[in-house]
Amino acid sequence: MALAEQMSGRPARQRGRADPAPGPAAAGDSRLFWAVPIVLLALLVPLNVFAGPLVLTTQRVVLMVAIFPVAMRFISGDYGRIRFIDWAIFLYLLWATLTIGINNPAAVVQYSGSTSLELLGGYLIGRCCIRNIHQFRRMARLFAGLVLLSLPFALYEGITGQSLLLRVYNGLPVVFSAREITTAPRLGLYRAQFTMPTPIHYGLFAALALCLVTVAHQNLWGLAKRLVVGGAIFLCSFLSLSSGAFLAVVFQIGFLAWARMTRGITIRWWILFAIAAVFYTVIEVFSDRSGIMVFLSYATFSAATAFNRVLIFNYGMDNVWANPLFGIGLNDWVRPFWMLHPSVDNFWLLNTMRHGLPSFLLMSVAWLGQIWIVAKRPLTEGSDLYWARRAWLFTIVSMTFTLCTVDVWGPPFVLCFFLFGAGAWLMDAAEPEDAAAAEPVQEGPADRPGRDRTEPPSRRRQTLSRNRRDAAPEESPDDGPEQSSPEAGTTDTPVRRRAPYARPPGDRRPRRG
């Protein structure tokens, strides 16, 4: 039973105790809503088709079908109460729609509709369909399996520079997929793109599975298995040869190392935060550049990329301060004439430029608010919930820093908000108050269904005493009859003799003699 429980990741059903049901999914239910695996599988099959002026992608079609039943149950309260984090996400989408309507009225329906569908759809699927640790682990295993499946394709692309799947998809009639990007080799290899819009998106896709699967299965998988799976995921992310994506791997490994070195220290994460704050202050005081500039400069593989990111941040912030309320919408941003490429490699900065400072504040409230609430949950160190929380926190915090160096759209955009929503259940995660609460309930003779629980205490004591006496082992008949002792005084218990034969277990007939 214990082996089957460890292999399945599902606790054994306790006799006499019903599974708790905090939401539509019971605490032991590991089944996934059909949209969860399809949304993840759509990452490997990014097919697009024109529907008039709109572009329908694989994930958008799935989200359009799944979002309405999920949203209705979410509004009705089937997935728990609506928190301020949910309201912040909704208000962000409303404000983003307003800013596009002000700056680009002709594009408000197309842009805001697609963005709202991908952001809200991905978030709600993760928020409402991952409701316990078993579903969380199953989702993590599925996600990691997709990353491992990409490894042979990424190795081939790293050696030859050819994306096999994208060439197949783009060769199909009617539909089309992401454009294959050809770049100069780095470190003797070509940058693997797999099925993602860019190589950096593939690196981020792989990196997000590292802690999500290895740390969440700490109590289920041995060290060797976790090292093999983690090493393969590490290799997938490395084959993208993208500094921004690899930054997520570096942060996750750094968090794991810090947690290992500071075991037993209660305030270890506050210590890490204080060290980072001191380091940032020293840079601000003694360097000719800000701490953000230094971070963006060193989070790259090449000096040219670092210089370009610094310029993007400086001129991007100038655009923010020039349009702090409603942003610039989809209009081109102001920059030097020699900066020909309009891309902004910073998700947080680009959204602030487009929709103004209120959008940044609303998204920060949602993003940081959920991280704070989950981090403050009182969980027992070493428990399954403890490792699941650590896996989600390491993943999301690493993603937060990575999004400072890359913009996401399409399938990676949906994936980021899906994983963010998949940790919402941890805000209400709780463990039994004591170990006895988790013990199996044994149904004894006094606890049989139908027995009157309102009988007087004296009668219940007599019943329990009789049950214990009947359950006692019989002594050998050679010991002779039981004698009463005159020194013991008189008692209410009648004198009885030992049975002349061994009674079979469960026999409730009156004793003779």
Short mmCIF file of all heavy atoms in Angstrom, two decimals, residues 11-36:
data_model
loop_
_atom_site.label_atom_id
_atom_site.label_comp_id
_atom_site.label_asym_id
_atom_site.label_seq_id
_atom_site.Cartn_x
_atom_site.Cartn_y
_atom_site.Cartn_z
N PRO A 11 -2.46 9.96 -1.58
CA PRO A 11 -2.53 9.31 -0.29
C PRO A 11 -3.58 8.23 -0.27
O PRO A 11 -4.60 8.31 -0.94
CB PRO A 11 -2.89 10.47 0.67
CG PRO A 11 -3.60 11.43 -0.19
CD PRO A 11 -2.97 11.32 -1.54
N ALA A 12 -3.32 7.18 0.52
CA ALA A 12 -4.29 6.10 0.63
C ALA A 12 -5.56 6.60 1.30
O ALA A 12 -5.52 7.41 2.22
CB ALA A 12 -3.68 4.95 1.43
N ARG A 13 -6.69 6.09 0.87
CA ARG A 13 -7.96 6.52 1.42
C ARG A 13 -8.12 5.95 2.82
O ARG A 13 -7.95 4.75 3.05
CB ARG A 13 -9.10 6.04 0.52
CG ARG A 13 -10.44 6.65 0.90
CD ARG A 13 -11.52 6.18 -0.07
NE ARG A 13 -12.79 6.77 0.23
CZ ARG A 13 -13.20 7.92 -0.24
NH1 ARG A 13 -12.40 8.61 -1.03
NH2 ARG A 13 -14.38 8.41 0.06
N GLN A 14 -8.42 6.79 3.76
CA GLN A 14 -8.51 6.37 5.14
C GLN A 14 -9.89 5.79 5.42
O GLN A 14 -10.91 6.33 5.01
CB GLN A 14 -8.25 7.55 6.07
CG GLN A 14 -6.84 8.12 5.89
CD GLN A 14 -6.64 9.33 6.73
OE1 GLN A 14 -7.55 9.76 7.43
NE2 GLN A 14 -5.46 9.89 6.70
N ARG A 15 -9.88 4.68 6.14
CA ARG A 15 -11.13 4.00 6.46
C ARG A 15 -11.92 4.83 7.45
O ARG A 15 -11.43 5.25 8.48
CB ARG A 15 -10.83 2.63 7.05
CG ARG A 15 -12.08 1.83 7.36
CD ARG A 15 -11.69 0.50 7.97
NE ARG A 15 -12.87 -0.26 8.34
CZ ARG A 15 -12.83 -1.42 8.98
NH1 ARG A 15 -11.66 -1.93 9.32
NH2 ARG A 15 -13.94 -2.05 9.29
N GLY A 16 -13.17 5.02 7.13
CA GLY A 16 -14.06 5.71 8.04
C GLY A 16 -13.95 7.21 7.99
O GLY A 16 -14.58 7.92 8.74
N ARG A 17 -13.11 7.76 7.09
CA ARG A 17 -12.94 9.21 7.02
C ARG A 17 -13.14 9.65 5.58
O ARG A 17 -12.48 9.16 4.67
CB ARG A 17 -11.54 9.62 7.49
CG ARG A 17 -11.34 11.13 7.53
CD ARG A 17 -9.88 11.45 7.85
NE ARG A 17 -9.51 10.98 9.15
CZ ARG A 17 -9.61 11.69 10.25
NH1 ARG A 17 -10.10 12.90 10.21
NH2 ARG A 17 -9.25 11.17 11.42
N ALA A 18 -14.00 10.60 5.36
CA ALA A 18 -14.26 11.08 4.01
C ALA A 18 -13.18 12.06 3.60
O ALA A 18 -12.61 12.77 4.42
CB ALA A 18 -15.63 11.75 3.94
N ASP A 19 -12.88 12.09 2.30
CA ASP A 19 -11.89 13.04 1.79
C ASP A 19 -12.41 14.45 1.95
O ASP A 19 -13.54 14.75 1.59
CB ASP A 19 -11.61 12.78 0.30
CG ASP A 19 -10.83 11.49 0.12
OD1 ASP A 19 -10.13 11.09 1.05
OD2 ASP A 19 -10.95 10.91 -0.96
N PRO A 20 -11.59 15.38 2.50
CA PRO A 20 -12.05 16.76 2.58
C PRO A 20 -12.18 17.36 1.21
O PRO A 20 -11.46 17.00 0.29
CB PRO A 20 -10.91 17.45 3.38
CG PRO A 20 -9.73 16.59 3.16
CD PRO A 20 -10.22 15.19 3.00
N ALA A 21 -13.09 18.28 1.07
CA ALA A 21 -13.35 18.89 -0.23
C ALA A 21 -13.37 20.39 -0.10
O ALA A 21 -14.39 21.01 0.10
CB ALA A 21 -14.66 18.39 -0.80
N PRO A 22 -12.18 21.06 -0.15
CA PRO A 22 -12.14 22.50 -0.03
C PRO A 22 -12.73 23.21 -1.22
O PRO A 22 -13.04 24.38 -1.15
CB PRO A 22 -10.64 22.80 0.09
CG PRO A 22 -9.99 21.66 -0.60
CD PRO A 22 -10.87 20.47 -0.37
N GLY A 23 -12.86 22.54 -2.35
CA GLY A 23 -13.38 23.15 -3.55
C GLY A 23 -14.05 22.10 -4.40
O GLY A 23 -14.46 21.07 -3.89
N PRO A 24 -14.17 22.31 -5.68
CA PRO A 24 -14.77 21.31 -6.53
C PRO A 24 -13.93 20.05 -6.64
O PRO A 24 -14.44 19.01 -6.99
CB PRO A 24 -14.89 22.02 -7.87
CG PRO A 24 -13.84 23.06 -7.83
CD PRO A 24 -13.74 23.49 -6.41
N ALA A 25 -12.66 20.14 -6.33
CA ALA A 25 -11.79 18.97 -6.35
C ALA A 25 -11.49 18.54 -4.93
O ALA A 25 -11.09 19.34 -4.10
CB ALA A 25 -10.48 19.29 -7.09
N ALA A 26 -11.71 17.27 -4.62
CA ALA A 26 -11.40 16.77 -3.29
C ALA A 26 -9.90 16.81 -3.07
O ALA A 26 -9.10 16.86 -4.00
CB ALA A 26 -11.93 15.35 -3.13
N ALA A 27 -9.52 16.74 -1.78
CA ALA A 27 -8.10 16.87 -1.44
C ALA A 27 -7.27 15.74 -2.03
O ALA A 27 -6.08 15.90 -2.24
CB ALA A 27 -7.93 16.91 0.08
N GLY A 28 -7.86 14.57 -2.29
CA GLY A 28 -7.12 13.47 -2.85
C GLY A 28 -7.35 13.28 -4.34
O GLY A 28 -6.88 12.30 -4.91
N ASP A 29 -8.06 14.18 -4.98
CA ASP A 29 -8.39 14.04 -6.40
C ASP A 29 -7.23 14.53 -7.24
O ASP A 29 -6.80 15.68 -7.11
CB ASP A 29 -9.66 14.83 -6.71
CG ASP A 29 -10.17 14.55 -8.12
OD1 ASP A 29 -9.61 13.67 -8.78
OD2 ASP A 29 -11.12 15.23 -8.54
N SER A 30 -6.69 13.66 -8.10
CA SER A 30 -5.57 14.05 -8.96
C SER A 30 -5.98 14.23 -10.40
O SER A 30 -5.12 14.46 -11.25
CB SER A 30 -4.46 12.98 -8.87
OG SER A 30 -4.92 11.75 -9.39
N ARG A 31 -7.26 14.13 -10.70
CA ARG A 31 -7.70 14.29 -12.08
C ARG A 31 -7.56 15.75 -12.50
O ARG A 31 -7.83 16.66 -11.74
CB ARG A 31 -9.16 13.85 -12.22
CG ARG A 31 -9.39 12.37 -11.97
CD ARG A 31 -10.87 12.07 -11.88
NE ARG A 31 -11.48 12.76 -10.75
CZ ARG A 31 -12.78 12.72 -10.47
NH1 ARG A 31 -13.60 12.05 -11.25
NH2 ARG A 31 -13.25 13.37 -9.42
N LEU A 32 -7.15 15.94 -13.75
CA LEU A 32 -6.97 17.27 -14.30
C LEU A 32 -8.13 17.60 -15.24
O LEU A 32 -8.59 16.75 -16.01
CB LEU A 32 -5.66 17.37 -15.07
CG LEU A 32 -4.37 17.34 -14.25
CD1 LEU A 32 -3.16 17.34 -15.16
CD2 LEU A 32 -4.30 18.50 -13.28
N PHE A 33 -8.59 18.84 -15.16
CA PHE A 33 -9.60 19.32 -16.11
C PHE A 33 -9.02 19.23 -17.52
O PHE A 33 -7.84 19.49 -17.74
CB PHE A 33 -9.96 20.77 -15.74
CG PHE A 33 -11.04 21.37 -16.60
CD1 PHE A 33 -12.29 20.79 -16.68
CD2 PHE A 33 -10.79 22.51 -17.34
CE1 PHE A 33 -13.28 21.35 -17.46
CE2 PHE A 33 -11.77 23.08 -18.13
CZ PHE A 33 -13.02 22.50 -18.19
N TRP A 34 -9.85 18.86 -18.48
CA TRP A 34 -9.35 18.55 -19.82
C TRP A 34 -8.56 19.70 -20.45
O TRP A 34 -7.66 19.48 -21.26
CB TRP A 34 -10.52 18.19 -20.74
CG TRP A 34 -11.52 19.29 -20.93
CD1 TRP A 34 -12.66 19.49 -20.23
CD2 TRP A 34 -11.46 20.34 -21.90
NE1 TRP A 34 -13.33 20.60 -20.68
CE2 TRP A 34 -12.62 21.14 -21.71
CE3 TRP A 34 -10.58 20.68 -22.91
CZ2 TRP A 34 -12.88 22.27 -22.49
CZ3 TRP A 34 -10.83 21.80 -23.69
CH2 TRP A 34 -11.98 22.57 -23.48
N ALA A 35 -8.88 20.95 -20.08
CA ALA A 35 -8.19 22.08 -20.68
C ALA A 35 -6.74 22.19 -20.25
O ALA A 35 -5.92 22.76 -20.97
CB ALA A 35 -8.93 23.38 -20.35
N VAL A 36 -6.39 21.66 -19.06
CA VAL A 36 -5.01 21.79 -18.57
C VAL A 36 -4.03 21.07 -19.48
O VAL A 36 -3.06 21.67 -19.96
CB VAL A 36 -4.92 21.30 -17.11
CG1 VAL A 36 -3.47 21.27 -16.64
CG2 VAL A 36 -5.76 22.18 -16.19
#
